[in-house]
Amino acid sequence: MQRAALFGSGRDAPMAAGDLGELLVPYMPTIRVPKSGDRVYKTECAFSYESPDSEGGLYVCMNTFLGFGREHVERHYRKTGQSVYMHLKRHVIEKVPGASGGALPKRRNAVLFLDLETNGDLNNDDFEYEDEAKLVIFPDHYEIPLPNIEELPALVTIACDAVLSSKSPYRKQDPDSWEEELQVSKHAKMLVQIDNGVRIPPSGWKCSKCDLRENLWLNLTDGSVLCGKWFFDGSGGNGHALEHYKEMGYPLAVKLGTITPDGADVYSFDEEDAVLDPHIAKHLAHFGIDMLQMHVTENGLRDNNIKPRVSEWEVIQESGVKLKPMYGPGYTGMKNLGNSCYLSAVMQAIFSIPEFQRAYVGNLPRIFDYSPLDPTQDFNTQMAKLGHGLLSGQYSKPPMKSELIEQVMKEEHKPQHNGISPRMFKAFVSKGHPEFSSNRQQDAQEFFLHLINLAERNRIGSENPSDVFRFLVEERTQCCQSRKVRYTERVDYLMQLPLAMEAATNKDELIAYELKRREAEAARRPPPELVRAKIPFSACLQAFSEPENVEDFWSSALQAKSAGVKTSRFASFPEYLVVQIKKFTFGLDWIPQKLDVSVDMPDLLDINHLRATGLQPGEEELPDITPPIIIPDDPKDRMMNHWMEPPDIDESSVMQLAEMGFPLEACRKAVYYTGNMGAEVAFNWIIAHMEEPDFAEPLAIPGYAGVASAGAAGLGAIGLDNQPPEEMVALITSMGFQRNVAILALKAANNNLEHALDWIFSHPEPEEESESASDVMDMENNANANILAEAGSEGPRIKDGSGRYELFGFISHMGTSTMSGHYVCHLKKEGRWVIYNDLKVCASERPPRDLGYIYFYRRIPS
């Protein structure tokens, strides 16, 4: 049989069904049919951002269902031995004019079966898509075009059909999954809008059937403003929006207060789910709402004689200024997945730091070579992939001259594929987190700390790039009555700077603006031009350094509660200082709100005067005495029983947290101190306390010493001298590693599987050594010595130095709270400021340094 006949398109020399069956026989055991729960990655490479849209297409392994670009599929073949892949390619086809002047495609009967995101309208007048699929057998690249139903074995045909018809791997799999992907509403394209003259004012909304002024929804067909139901998004309402749909049948509504230049929250009553509306700007314009400017006059039309408001959205995004697009390495944008701009802004800033570039992009070949069998579930692999995508320039190429001319001549042009979609990265880093795994807007500061936590738990060897942010804070607590003091240290990653609102330099203007705003709201007129409080940076720095009261302070000197004050200073200065302006507060309804202020952040920052000094001459330390335990007089009291009985700890929650990689004792403490309220609440406790010195120490409960840690032994906590669990050893050896290496890695990682794999990748030499008893003993001793050395190291990892810094980036937030709005990032590169606004990367003309939320400073060398 001439197998070479299959090379190329395979269409010139078709083979008989028997020949194809014979060709595939050796590989049949490796071809699987996707089962329920299997995720098929047919839209994106696991190691890069190659897709079926890319020049080389995408190869999907017919066993693991992972996708690989042309430059990575060979690695997967060599590592796993899997030979059969489905090659997927999407072609963009230019239409040609027909005899009647209409457009005809160059190819007829175009096939479209890939569930891909598109950058253009499939029904435009100039282009259409055609998808192509074929089986490819490695290492000789034999190709079998699909569909080939009559010639392929039944199992192969079923497997191919299942792969081609599979849905997005990021779509919600089950009711307990937090990973969601909003779908485009079937009503969006052909939505009927009644021309009834309704115009929506910019404020002062009220339900047309009751007096509610919150949780209001604008029906996109007739412009009715009605309240939602309480269970729709957690807000209260009387359900008038749903009643209106049942009465009139108008399917789509947008939530008022969520409309931004980047989108809005849209709900489909017919589809009973939150949806995407690609035509939302047009649908809102029907009612006089301009999404870009967010400014509506009383008649719904913009009056050119009215001075436009200088809103936060316009200033931060530099609207009204023609910005020059930037291309090349380090100038790659990121697609907004629906309120994912917080992630994009943070990651752009993170990968502008050389230490992160070296750790992930510099180690990319090693990380990819040692990645687990499922690289989509490995932090370091996904960080390396994202870093390479942003820094390589491969996904940020300027249009050719001919394309520029075409864009000038035509409104619609061939879709460009610049920028990357961080969907796989977001799915991994947000896995198990109730907020980041949702499609809701999040706090960029919280995501920054979440990322640092992941980097801490997934170190590459002994180095951790997040160390550049670590610093020690010295807290000095003083008893106001005895004047005695206590000094403690803690680790932190950012400096939280309070807003000194009382120091505003334009108080008179603020008072006048507030009066006008209230008058306009009462009269349902557009609000006056915004006036922001101007806060001097020096006042914020002064507020940071001032003492603060300590609530419920117990003085060990007085053996009683007393008044206490605390001051914070830097015990060390980090290599990179991250400064958060504390703009967010809580309203009376406990909804986060933002203070829209201007702070004159300096380009050069010197905080050497905030260096900690430690115990000073003449100061007397507070005695090291713990507060007494108050036991009720009645020994039969239930509180007494609570103190004397063993602690009640939900072991299922403990194990859920332990499986995430946290120390077992820390998990027990988290569950205990959060009152057994579940793994999610305990997880938040862990994040807040993981830097404390006794984080992994056994739980010690006053009044019942020794009981808390007893459960650890019952759960199988194993020391270094004991043998690791056999199932963990078997799992690592199934990946191709030697048994002795698996045992050593598990002992070195205290039986944490994820850390054990990291240990193996950072100690590749033992695999090549003999398995003699003496070699094994030497390796085991070295492993134990490394653990003891790390455990005995003094203090946390810090990079202390001068407290003089230079600003190189900042993240800005637009909107009224962390629950809504939009983030962009400004970075200083090659001597000029650049704005990163999702996919758009442009040279900045007016960087709004005074409106930032998180600022990034680098240390100035001494």
Side-chain angles (χ1 to χ4, degrees):
M1 180 180 66
Q2 299 295 322
R3 292 189 177 184
L6 287 175
F7 187 78
S9 66
R11 292 172 181 167
D12 296 333
M15 300 185 68
D19 292 338
L20 283 178
E22 180 183 346
L23 174 65
L24 289 168
V25 163
Y27 310 107
M28 293 290 284
T30 68
I31 298 175
R32 291 201 307 121
V33 178
K35 297 179 296 185
S36 175
D38 281 337
R39 296 193 169 197
V40 180
Y41 294 90
K42 63 179 183 178
T43 61
E44 180 183 348
C45 172
F47 294 106
S48 71
Y49 292 92
E50 299 299 293
S51 71
D53 283 312
S54 305
E55 183 179 352
L58 190 74
Y59 295 82
V60 178
C61 174
M62 293 300 292
N63 181 269
T64 64
F65 310 119
L66 294 169
F68 302 95
R70 188 160 55 185
E71 64 177 308
H72 297 289
V73 65
E74 292 281 359
R75 174 190 286 108
H76 186 258
Y77 162 71
R78 292 193 303 269
K79 187 172 185 177
T80 64
Q82 299 297 335
S83 298
V84 183
Y85 296 81
M86 180 182 290
H87 181 254
L88 302 172
K89 181 74 177 80
R90 167 161 287 184
H91 302 278
V92 180
I93 305 168
E94 186 174 2
K95 298 178 181 179
V96 295
S100 62
L104 295 175
K106 287 184 177 179
R107 304 182 195 178
R108 295 182 179 273
N109 302 320
V111 181
L112 192 66
F113 49 74
L114 291 177
D115 185 17
L116 296 177
E117 299 173 351
T118 57
N119 292 337
D121 188 351
L122 283 176
N123 298 311
N124 66 40
D125 295 332
D126 299 313
F127 300 94
E128 69 174 13
Y129 296 99
E130 182 181 65
D131 295 335
E132 177 187 10
K134 53 192 173 186
L135 288 180
V136 180
I137 303 176
F138 281 72
D140 298 316
H141 293 265
Y142 297 141
E143 297 182 357
I144 304 173
L146 297 174
N148 218 330
I149 299 175
E150 296 179 357
E151 300 178 0
L152 291 177
L155 173 66
V156 178
T157 299
I158 294 171
C160 291
D161 288 344
V163 169
L164 290 174
S165 61
S166 62
K167 299 299 183 182
S168 166
Y170 310 109
R171 193 165 295 168
K172 186 161 56 177
Q173 301 285 320
D174 55 75
D176 297 326
S177 172
W178 282 87
E179 295 182 19
E180 296 184 55
E181 179 178 328
L182 294 182
Q183 301 300 307
V184 174
S185 171
K186 64 183 180 182
H187 301 289
K189 188 174 180 182
M190 305 299 292
L191 183 70
V192 175
Q193 291 191 284
I194 301 173
D195 190 10
N196 54 9
V198 172
R199 293 294 181 266
I200 304 301
S203 60
W205 310 304
K206 185 175 76 71
C207 176
S208 60
K209 293 186 178 180
C210 67
D211 293 329
L212 283 181
R213 293 180 178 270
E214 294 181 351
N215 189 25
L216 298 177
W217 294 79
L218 168 67
N219 189 287
L220 291 175
T221 295
D222 64 358
S224 299
V225 175
L226 300 156
C227 61
K229 294 191 77 171
W230 70 270
F231 55 80
F232 176 73
D233 66 347
S235 302
N238 296 318
H240 289 137
L242 180 60
E243 288 180 7
H244 187 67
Y245 161 71
K246 291 178 178 178
E247 179 183 350
M248 306 301 298
Y250 302 152
L252 297 185
V254 60
K255 187 172 184 179
L256 294 173
T258 68
I259 302 169
T260 73
D262 292 279
D265 292 350
V266 181
Y267 186 78
S268 172
F269 296 105
D270 178 46
E271 295 155 287
E272 298 184 341
D273 203 355
V275 295
L276 294 177
D277 179 2
H279 310 285
I280 184 64
K282 178 181 122 179
H283 293 157
L284 290 173
H286 182 81
F287 301 109
I289 301 175
D290 186 337
M291 283 182 65
L292 180 61
Q293 302 298 335
M294 295 300 293
H295 175 71
V296 184
T297 59
E298 283 185 308
N299 62 0
L301 302 174
R302 174 170 292 280
D303 187 343
N304 292 328
N305 295 323
I306 297 178
K307 180 181 178 181
R309 292 175 56 208
V310 185
S311 74
E312 184 182 47
W313 290 85
E314 294 166 310
V315 175
I316 291 177
Q317 297 188 108
E318 303 187 52
S319 301
V321 180
K322 188 174 183 180
L323 302 178
K324 177 185 176 183
M326 303 288 285
Y327 301 99
Y331 299 107
T332 303
M334 298 171 71
K335 178 180 173 62
N336 194 321
L337 307 176
N339 287 328
S340 66
C341 51
Y342 67 91
L343 179 148
S344 300
V346 170
M347 298 316 300
Q348 293 285 7
I350 287 291
F351 276 112
S352 70
I353 296 173
E355 284 78 0
F356 279 86
Q357 296 174 3
R358 287 194 297 267
Y360 296 106
V361 184
N363 284 322
L364 185 139
R366 175 189 165 202
I367 292 173
F368 283 1
D369 285 340
Y370 288 102
S371 65
L373 293 180
D374 186 357
T376 67
Q377 301 304 307
D378 180 64
F379 176 76
N380 292 325
T381 300
Q382 292 306 309
M383 282 289 284
K385 170 183 171 178
L386 183 69
H388 179 264
L390 294 175
L391 300 174
S392 66
Q394 187 175 343
Y395 308 101
S396 178
K397 298 177 180 178
M400 304 295 289
K401 186 177 290 187
S402 59
E403 293 174 340
L404 283 172
I405 296 173
E406 183 182 2
Q407 291 178 27
V408 172
M409 298 298 293
K410 296 182 179 181
E411 261 187 46
E412 295 182 352
H413 50 85
K414 186 174 181 178
Q416 300 297 313
H417 299 294
N418 272 345
I420 59 176
S421 173
R423 193 176 297 279
M424 188 178 291
F425 178 81
K426 182 179 185 293
F428 174 76
V429 299
S430 64
K431 187 177 181 180
H433 195 287
E435 288 301 323
F436 298 135
S437 60
S438 73
N439 279 321
R440 295 186 291 273
Q441 186 61 277
Q442 304 298 329
D443 189 339
Q445 176 257 354
E446 292 180 2
F447 180 75
F448 170 77
L449 292 178
H450 176 68
L451 186 80
I452 295 302
N453 176 37
L454 289 175
E456 288 278 356
R457 290 163 49 194
N458 297 274
R459 284 187 238 167
I460 304 175
S462 60
E463 289 297 318
N464 181 0
S466 65
D467 287 351
V468 299
F469 300 124
R470 289 174 72 106
F471 60 92
L472 291 176
V473 177
E474 178 192 85
E475 292 185 340
R476 176 185 182 273
T477 307
Q478 183 175 36
C479 171
C480 296
Q481 189 169 341
S482 69
R483 312 304 295 174
K484 295 183 180 180
V485 298
R486 175 180 293 118
Y487 284 87
T488 57
E489 286 187 348
R490 62 176 173 83
V491 173
D492 214 332
Y493 291 92
L494 55 80
M495 178 186 187
Q496 294 185 306
L497 209 59
L499 281 173
M501 297 298 293
E502 69 282 355
T505 59
N506 58 339
K507 292 180 181 177
D508 292 340
E509 295 177 47
L510 291 171
I511 295 172
Y513 165 75
E514 183 62 22
L515 290 174
K516 292 179 181 178
R517 187 192 66 78
R518 291 180 180 180
E519 291 174 0
E521 183 175 339
R524 301 191 67 175
R525 295 195 307 267
E529 184 175 340
L530 180 67
V531 176
R532 290 188 185 88
K534 296 179 180 179
I535 312 295
F537 172 77
S538 57
C540 299
L541 204 58
Q542 178 64 31
F544 172 84
S545 63
E546 289 178 351
E548 58 178 306
N549 293 326
V550 180
E551 294 184 7
D552 288 330
F553 175 69
W554 186 85
S555 171
S556 58
L558 304 175
Q559 298 283 303
K561 285 189 176 183
S562 173
V565 293
K566 180 177 68 176
T567 54
S568 299
R569 293 291 184 270
F570 286 84
S572 69
F573 291 120
E575 191 73 20
Y576 291 83
L577 178 66
V578 182
V579 180
Q580 176 201 13
I581 306 297
K582 297 174 70 173
K583 291 186 172 185
F584 293 101
T585 182
F586 285 94
L588 296 177
D589 52 4
W590 289 96
I591 295 178
Q593 296 177 349
K594 190 176 76 173
L595 301 172
D596 190 1
V597 300
S598 169
V599 180
D600 59 337
M601 296 297 292
D603 285 325
L604 299 178
L605 175 62
D606 190 340
I607 55 172
N608 277 305
H609 65 284
L610 295 178
R611 169 77 73 171
T613 57
L615 188 67
Q616 295 298 294
E619 288 185 331
E620 186 178 352
E621 289 190 90
L622 285 163
D624 190 11
I625 302 173
T626 56
I629 301 169
I630 301 175
I631 301 177
D633 295 333
D634 184 359
K636 297 181 181 180
D637 190 279
R638 283 186 295 177
M639 285 297 295
M640 179 66 177
N641 294 336
H642 170 77
W643 284 107
M644 298 306 294
E645 292 177 359
D648 182 19
I649 298 177
D650 180 5
E651 299 296 353
S652 63
S653 296
V654 172
M655 295 313 298
Q656 285 184 53
L657 296 169
E659 288 171 0
M660 298 181 190
F662 297 114
L664 184 62
E665 290 298 341
C667 300
R668 293 177 60 77
K669 287 199 290 188
V671 173
Y672 175 77
Y673 286 125
T674 54
N676 291 313
M677 295 181 67
E680 179 183 323
V681 178
F683 175 82
N684 293 331
W685 186 95
I686 286 178
I687 297 302
H689 295 81
M690 65 186 307
E691 295 299 343
E692 295 178 358
D694 61 346
F695 175 67
E697 303 261 333
L699 173 61
I701 303 175
Y704 202 88
V707 173
S709 59
L715 288 171
I718 301 174
L720 291 175
D721 296 332
N722 296 324
Q723 193 74 359
E726 188 58 36
E727 59 270 18
M728 288 191 178
V729 176
L731 187 59
I732 293 180
T733 55
S734 69
M735 300 179 186
F737 299 107
Q738 296 176 5
R739 176 179 174 81
N740 64 303
V741 175
I743 293 173
L744 289 176
L746 286 167
K747 287 186 176 183
N750 201 19
N751 296 325
N752 182 299
L753 183 61
E754 188 175 4
H755 293 173
L757 291 173
D758 287 341
W759 186 92
I760 291 176
F761 297 147
S762 59
H763 299 77
E765 302 84 7
E767 288 189 76
E768 301 172 3
E769 298 180 4
S770 68
E771 295 188 53
S772 66
S774 60
D775 288 341
V776 172
M777 184 63 69
D778 289 341
M779 290 165 59
E780 188 166 350
N781 290 339
N782 289 337
N784 291 339
N786 289 337
I787 295 171
L788 293 174
E790 184 173 344
S793 60
E794 295 183 4
R797 307 174 309 277
I798 58 172
K799 298 178 182 290
D800 197 8
S802 168
R804 296 182 65 246
Y805 295 92
E806 177 184 14
L807 181 68
F808 73 93
F810 58 95
I811 294 172
S812 306
H813 175 267
M814 294 152 280
T816 57
S817 79
T818 55
M819 299 169 63
S820 62
H822 182 59
Y823 288 94
V824 301
C825 178
H826 283 77
L827 295 172
K828 197 172 188 179
K829 292 191 174 182
E830 300 177 311
R832 72 173 305 166
W833 285 97
V834 180
I835 178 174
Y836 294 80
N837 188 355
D838 291 335
L839 280 172
K840 294 174 282 189
V841 181
C842 301
S844 173
E845 297 294 335
R846 301 171 185 169
R849 286 190 291 268
D850 60 323
L851 298 182
Y853 173 47
I854 301 174
Y855 293 84
F856 293 83
Y857 286 86
R858 67 166 63 91
R859 194 194 329 264
I860 300 174
S862 300

